[in-house]
Amino acid sequence: MEPTRGQLAYVRYFDNRGRPYQEYHERLIIGRVRPREFLVRSPTRDYFVEELSRTNPDLADLHMRADGALPAGVPLHRVFGFGDLSAEELVGRGAARSLVPCAYEPALLGA
């Protein structure tokens, strides 16, 4: 599935010994920066560019759902996420509107 603006991604990282962490991190996709890199928002309100691709060597696992539901195989008690806010609510509350548009898609953020 191709990541799109407003979609939630669930990523799980490797530790420094190459073992997967148990916790998944929820990411709100704000926009595309490069073919496999996206501007994302974390639950701690940080914004950064992350490669959301199965070819990313830092990721042990990657799941996405277009409908915002928790993907199969991602246990709720292992998700560091946004809580009860949906992607639509996050974007609607100005999370994306306060950002500078992405270089490769200037109209993506409603600029």
Side-chain angles (χ1 to χ4, degrees):
M1 171 184 298
E2 180 68 20
T4 58
R5 179 177 184 249
Q7 186 177 12
L8 293 174
Y10 299 85
V11 297
R12 186 166 56 141
Y13 299 97
F14 287 110
D15 66 17
N16 58 2
R17 295 182 182 171
R19 298 176 300 196
Y21 285 108
Q22 292 184 8
E23 185 175 66
Y24 284 83
H25 294 253
E26 202 169 46
R27 301 288 183 246
L28 173 66
I29 299 170
I30 303 298
R32 182 186 302 274
V33 176
R34 291 188 182 90
R36 292 187 311 231
E37 293 181 348
F38 296 84
L39 180 64
V40 298
R41 181 182 184 198
S42 74
T44 57
R45 298 187 177 136
D46 293 321
Y47 294 92
F48 50 91
V49 174
E50 185 162 28
E51 181 183 340
L52 296 178
S53 166
R54 298 204 183 274
T55 61
N56 181 344
D58 296 327
L59 298 183
D61 207 1
L62 169 65
H63 294 276
M64 287 179 271
R65 289 282 305 252
D67 61 5
L70 191 66
V74 177
L76 179 60
H77 69 284
R78 298 275 186 216
V79 174
F80 175 61
F82 292 101
D84 293 335
L85 294 179
S86 69
E88 292 80 16
E89 290 172 312
L90 285 166
V91 172
R93 290 183 183 190
R97 293 188 185 119
S98 64
L99 298 174
V100 175
C102 295
Y104 290 92
E105 296 186 27
L108 186 66
L109 302 179

